[in-house]
Amino acid sequence: MSLTDDLYRETILDHYHNPRNQGKIEDASAEVEGVNPLCGDELTLFLKLNDQGIVEDIKMNAHGCSINTASGSMMSEAVLGQSLEKAREIIESFKNMMLTKGEELPLDEELEDLEALRGVKKYPVRIKCALLPWNTLLEGLEAAEKKCCQHS
Amino acid sequence: MSLTDDLYRETILDHYHNPRNQGKIEDASAEVEGVNPLCGDELTLFLKLNDQGIVEDIKMNAHGCSINTASGSMMSEAVLGQSLEKAREIIESFKNMMLTKGEELPLDEELEDLEALRGVKKYPVRIKCALLPWNTLLEGLEAAEKKCCQHS
Amino acid sequence: MATILDKPETKEAMSSLNLEKIRRDFPILRREVDGKRLVYLDNAATSQKPLSVINKLSEYYQRYNANVHRGIHTLSEEATAMYEGTRETVRRFIDAKETCEIIFTRGTTEGINLVASTWGKQNVLPGDEIVLSPMEHHSNLVPWQVLAQEREAKLVFLELTAEGEIDMEAAAKLIGARTRIVAVTQMSNVLGTINPIKELAALAHKQGAIILVDGAQSVPHMQISVQEMDADFVAFSLHKMLGPTGVGVLWGKKDILKAMPPYMYGGDMIASVSRERSRYNELPWKFEAGTPNIGDVIASAAAFEYLSELGLENVREHEVEITRYALNRLREINGIAIYGPKDPQKRGGVISFNMKDIHPHDLGQILSDAGIAIRAGHHCCQPLMKDLQVMGTARASFYIYNTFEEVDMLLAALREADKVMGNVAYR
Amino acid sequence: MATILDKPETKEAMSSLNLEKIRRDFPILRREVDGKRLVYLDNAATSQKPLSVINKLSEYYQRYNANVHRGIHTLSEEATAMYEGTRETVRRFIDAKETCEIIFTRGTTEGINLVASTWGKQNVLPGDEIVLSPMEHHSNLVPWQVLAQEREAKLVFLELTAEGEIDMEAAAKLIGARTRIVAVTQMSNVLGTINPIKELAALAHKQGAIILVDGAQSVPHMQISVQEMDADFVAFSLHKMLGPTGVGVLWGKKDILKAMPPYMYGGDMIASVSRERSRYNELPWKFEAGTPNIGDVIASAAAFEYLSELGLENVREHEVEITRYALNRLREINGIAIYGPKDPQKRGGVISFNMKDIHPHDLGQILSDAGIAIRAGHHCCQPLMKDLQVMGTARASFYIYNTFEEVDMLLAALREADKVMGNVAYR
Ligand SMILES: Cc1ncc(COP(=O)(O)O)c(C=O)c1O
Ligand SMILES: Cc1ncc(COP(=O)(O)O)c(C=O)c1O
């Protein structure tokens, strides 16, 4: 069961069983939904940006598989407190890790947890599970940014 | 070239090169068109029945292959002067010959010429060529009969 | 039961089929996945193919590949004879009256779309009702949604009992004077439920409506007679019944097919064409535009023959028994939810389940690592998932080559999954 | 020329292809028909298949057959990777920008019907014009006839020169402000004519219209770049280019495809489904409802690879040379009528002809008895037959495995036919 062990490493299972930042934000700057057409998994993401464009709060409402849930949980930790710009950078490096074939660049040290998801690459179908929260976040950031701009 | 020889026996070639009863009937009891969807061959058939329901005249306008032309030519000879009923019988026995598999019943002596077309059975696609005039005749007889009935 | 469980060898003897012999006919079953023997339990998605089908395909391309119908040369005549011969094989298999009622499609989905967009557009008017069951596959739902929107017609859904069977009392009321068509699956690809087509057909016909049967899951697994069940259309896919991918059959009653406009336009479906106008060909070719999937249709004949030789009643019996065994064993697991009828006689060899808290995707993945192929997700039945209040299910589905031992392996792997996921459902 | 004619061995040396090696890859070419070696000259109808394609198909069914996209188990992942991988192979082959522009169909006919009934219904309004050439195959004519009737639009036909080429001066006038789409074949399956797509595309685009290219005869035989030719849609069939029957490709520009409604509805083409409403999937899957023809799509990759390895420019060169030789030899026959451009550089390897007074059916039959497969009839181009004032033609069409010697055999058989039919055309 080496592959399975790989995939369900401790980190993933930890985030899966105790997902961080679950819930809702009442006065969110953006609320977006994501759906994985292949399996029907859904996700609602709430974002709150402050005036400086910092991700002040992020919450999720997800019923997904372990990969999906853990990926979302890790993501929320990674971007909480980051600037819009930095958040987009993180998304970029994560998506890079999941989608590039061939040479493998390690993630920055502060994103170490996310390394656990690298094993998912062996299972092409499930890459979509891992990416769903991140693609939803991209949409959310855009929506939130628009809203902030309208405010100012 | 045995198969070819078979198929293009003298009788067929004779009818092909000198098709009988070609032309038009001005005061026809029925005029019908037949088409072979596979090859586009077309045929116009003219029929004249007399009061007793005898095929008094039959003419054809065809541009078909040798099988088609010869089959029509032989057909015209076979039904000319026959009663409606007898004509239908002849059609029936000819179609039987062309379509039944297995045991082969010889045709009546007076239809001997038509035996030449038996060889076509080896070429399933061309059975349609041989049958086109006959199916058109069936339609023609029906139309002519209707017209005669309306007269009386 | 216990003694039987202890001796896997004897269990196979319970089958109406000679499994050992059958398995030798399926080369893929000898495959290993990551060093484990393949256990293929995803038959409702697609079945595996016997050598006779694979060889027939290969033989076609090596011996007599040619385009059909219009060719006068030997290869084309041979290919045409085999292609049209398969139509007769299908006719016999489903007990249709005439070969001209057999239309070759790409699969069930195309068959249903064909009906919705030809018969449907001609016959469904504003205010009319289209009756579906809540367990329909997207392929027998979405085409009707679109037709209903275009025609301002209404979709009416039948009701299900707690065990996932159609509530026939409610059906007698829901199928009414405005009903134009009842479109329903003969066997659910999620619940396994076998629906009473004959009774539904009677209800439909009483109202002057017609009935379309989605036979994707039933035709591969049980003897059907389109005349017996008195259906108007039946659609199914060859790839789910030992045949190659890319072929399906739509059977329809001749009079109805005759009155329908064509579906696609092009070569082979015409009688004559001028610049401005065309006359269409006779049945069944009117509905087969363009070069058909000749090789796969011809190879399909071997699939029909394989099943006929086994005997559909034996196939069905084997599946009832393996399903009975699997249901019993699965029920041993704590915290498992199994959907559909409890009685294996009332269902096909499709078992959907959830092990509490473990997402079906995770189950599917862990089982795959053990060499066991099941399906996980919504099975193209999202509305039914909503009714069941789940995101998806795990689904094991059986066919003629599955053994009782493989059920045991499934069970062992499910327990392992439970451990891997850190769950405590099973003790 | 005479010396070359005397030594058939040396003629093959003229080819840009290693014919001997190629012929070994096609098992069917070793077949005998009634004791005579098969001479297959019906390639425009369908091509023969190399072992690499047949084996890939067989390997798929023996090693990793599974339904694609939604499966989580190993087989399904392998099948999905190969299926989607083929999309990339196609993209490269036709020089498309993105794989999402590649839609797998059953063939050219389905591709064109798809466009006519989605893009067409959305964009063609009463009074609009659909421009076609008079040499279109029924598959690129009848769908537009039906659309025109439904939409009260008008069909406009381009004009042909005496040699069967599109009159571009007339075209510049016929393609006008009301033109919504120009649908035209890149290579005629009767005349062989290669049409100037790029120029026609420019005329269409100038008027705000789009252009659909029927690539059924061109894509198998010459290098194309959808970007170079600036088309909006290109449809073609794999069975005419070494691939299995039952697969085709519709390529379309992404922005146009995105704006189109789906074609068929069902599994795989949806994003989410509720009882009343559905959201559709992204490109290209939006247009691939139901289980696709997985095996044949995967095997098609081998066909693309085979052609790429030969090099499309070598394929084309071989066909130009064998066509040149065949045209010269056919012209030796008294009373022969050959249709289409005289210059082999301006046409594909398709030669339609009539030997005076001998019906093409009779020719086809007699040739078949000599082991030679040609096609006879209207070739699904009835309007063109009318223009040519013939009931049909005999047609020989070449591909990568045809030799100059086979042309000689054709000639000999034609002379024999002349004798059999008691005709005196040739002395
Ligand atoms: C020019 C042309 N267009 C379209 C088609 C139709 O292709 P298919 O029958 O594969 O759909 C053909 C082949 O018959 C053709 O030659
Ligand atoms: C009940 C049912 N209907 C329809 C389909 C669709 O069949 P296909 O994908 O072969 O068109 C399936 C299979 O996926 C099915 O299980």
Side-chain angles (χ1 to χ4, degrees), chain C residues 289-334:
Chain C
T291 302
N293 189 349
I294 307 167
D296 290 327
V297 165
I298 289 176
S300 297
F304 287 109
E305 282 152 20
Y306 194 96
L307 287 171
S308 296
E309 257 168 53
L310 291 182
L312 270 294
E313 58 299 345
N314 295 323
V315 169
R316 173 80 186 124
E317 196 184 318
H318 167 71
E319 291 180 19
V320 168
E321 290 314 316
I322 198 167
T323 302
R324 185 193 312 281
Y325 180 67
L327 285 172
N328 284 337
R329 297 247 28 211
L330 284 168
R331 287 194 197 110
E332 294 171 12
I333 297 180
N334 280 333

Side-chain angles (χ1 to χ4, degrees), chain C residues 44-45 106-110 112 135-140 185 187-189 214-217 236-240 247 379-381 395, chain D residues 67 70 267 289-292:
Chain C
R106 178 167 42 238
T108 310
T109 303
E110 191 182 25
I112 296 170
M135 63 175 94
E136 294 313 313
H137 189 279
H138 294 163
S139 291
N140 196 27
T185 186
M187 189 188 285
S188 163
N189 65 316
D214 176 347
Q217 295 296 337
F236 57 96
S237 303
L238 261 296
H239 71 89
K240 294 191 201 278
V247 199
H379 316 293
C380 294
C381 290
R395 181 186 73 185
Chain D
N67 213 326
R70 285 173 316 275
T291 302

Side-chain angles (χ1 to χ4, degrees), chain C residues 172-190:
Chain C
K173 286 173 205 140
L174 289 165
I175 299 172
R178 298 300 323 238
T179 303
R180 304 294 305 140
I181 186 169
V182 176
V184 68
T185 186
Q186 188 171 16
M187 189 188 285
S188 163
N189 65 316
V190 173

Side-chain angles (χ1 to χ4, degrees), chain B residues 34-37 39-43 63-65 68 129 132, chain D residues 359 361 391:
Chain B
V35 102
N36 182 341
C39 58
D41 279 356
E42 286 167 7
L43 172 94
H63 305 276
C65 62
N68 187 323
C129 305
L132 179 63
Chain D
H359 190 284
H361 258 191
M391 295 300 300

Side-chain angles (χ1 to χ4, degrees), chain D residues 6-215:
Chain D
D6 295 336
K7 300 182 214 130
E9 329 80 68
T10 64
K11 277 179 299 199
E12 312 310 336
M14 288 163 56
S15 176
S16 49
L17 300 173
N18 184 340
L19 298 183
E20 219 177 290
K21 182 162 172 296
I22 290 174
R23 292 182 67 87
R24 277 199 300 271
D25 293 334
F26 290 78
I28 206 170
L29 298 179
R30 292 192 285 277
R31 165 152 184 196
E32 299 209 331
V33 171
D34 285 328
K36 283 132 210 147
R37 206 197 78 195
L38 170 68
V39 174
Y40 188 77
L41 301 178
D42 192 18
N43 293 288
T46 200
S47 81
Q48 297 305 338
K49 328 297 175 198
L51 260 184
S52 63
V53 169
I54 303 172
N55 288 344
K56 191 150 189 173
L57 198 48
S58 184
E59 192 200 4
Y60 166 73
Y61 289 120
Q62 304 209 19
R63 297 274 312 153
Y64 58 100
N65 166 66
N67 213 326
V68 289
H69 294 147
R70 285 173 316 275
I72 244 172
H73 55 80
T74 307
L75 263 46
S76 178
E77 282 188 346
E78 290 177 5
T80 303
M82 295 295 279
Y83 180 84
E84 292 300 327
T86 304
R87 234 188 270 280
E88 167 60 15
T89 306
V90 180
R91 189 201 63 70
R92 249 182 293 124
F93 195 87
I94 63 172
D95 189 28
K97 272 197 189 133
E98 299 185 42
T99 51
C100 76
E101 298 178 327
I102 309 293
I103 297 158
F104 290 117
T105 62
R106 178 168 43 240
T108 309
T109 302
E110 190 180 28
I112 296 169
N113 275 273
L114 191 162
V115 176
S117 67
T118 57
W119 182 90
K121 291 213 173 120
Q122 215 173 34
N123 291 281
V124 174
L125 300 173
D128 282 350
E129 293 176 357
I130 298 165
V131 176
L132 307 172
S133 94
M135 64 175 94
E136 294 313 312
H137 189 280
H138 293 163
S139 292
N140 197 26
L141 167 57
V142 190
W144 305 114
Q145 285 182 347
V146 174
L147 179 67
Q149 276 161 35
E150 280 182 21
R151 287 295 144 129
E152 296 173 41
K154 215 179 119 192
L155 296 187
V156 171
F157 287 88
L158 297 171
E159 288 164 17
L160 298 188
T161 67
E163 276 205 17
E165 296 185 289
I166 289 176
D167 179 334
M168 289 301 288
E169 263 178 53
K173 285 171 206 141
L174 289 165
I175 298 171
R178 297 298 327 235
T179 304
R180 302 295 304 140
I181 185 166
V182 176
V184 69
T185 186
Q186 189 170 16
M187 189 189 285
S188 163
N189 64 315
V190 173
L191 305 169
T193 318
I194 297 174
N195 291 320
I197 297 302
K198 202 172 167 172
E199 288 72 21
L200 289 165
L203 291 178
H205 292 152
K206 207 174 70 187
Q207 303 289 349
I210 66 165
I211 182 164
L212 174 142
V213 176
D214 176 347

Side-chain angles (χ1 to χ4, degrees), chain D residues 189-330:
Chain D
N189 64 315
V190 173
L191 305 169
T193 318
I194 297 174
N195 291 320
I197 297 302
K198 202 172 167 172
E199 288 72 21
L200 289 165
L203 291 178
H205 292 152
K206 207 174 70 187
Q207 303 289 349
I210 66 165
I211 182 164
L212 174 142
V213 176
D214 176 347
Q217 295 295 338
S218 58
V219 178
H221 301 281
M222 54 196 263
Q223 184 78 61
I224 73 148
S225 158
V226 295
Q227 297 191 59
E228 241 285 307
M229 64 167 81
D230 200 16
D232 298 287
F233 291 106
V234 178
F236 57 98
S237 304
L238 261 296
H239 71 89
K240 293 189 200 281
M241 51 189 295
L242 312 185
T245 53
V247 200
V249 169
L250 174 69
W251 166 85
K253 275 192 190 144
K254 186 174 167 186
D255 292 343
I256 300 178
L257 288 175
K258 263 193 160 168
M260 276 154 58
Y263 180 49
M264 285 197 236
Y265 302 88
D268 247 35
M269 57 72 66
I270 56 91
S272 69
V273 175
S274 71
R275 281 191 171 192
E276 302 296 338
R277 210 147 241 98
S278 300
R279 280 167 48 199
Y280 305 126
N281 203 343
E282 302 164 9
L283 289 180
W285 304 287
K286 178 170 99 176
F287 292 107
E288 293 183 5
T291 302
N293 188 349
I294 307 167
D296 290 328
V297 165
I298 288 176
S300 297
F304 287 109
E305 281 153 19
Y306 195 97
L307 287 170
S308 296
E309 256 168 51
L310 290 182
L312 271 293
E313 57 300 344
N314 295 322
V315 170
R316 173 82 185 124
E317 196 183 319
H318 167 71
E319 291 180 18
V320 168
E321 289 316 317
I322 197 166
T323 303
R324 185 193 310 282
Y325 180 66
L327 285 172
N328 284 337
R329 296 248 28 212
L330 285 167

Side-chain angles (χ1 to χ4, degrees), chain A residues 27-46:
Chain A
D27 58 338
S29 329
E31 174 186 336
V32 278
E33 280 179 28
V35 104
N36 182 342
L38 294 180
C39 58
D41 280 356
E42 287 167 6
L43 173 94
T44 314
L45 182 92
F46 302 86

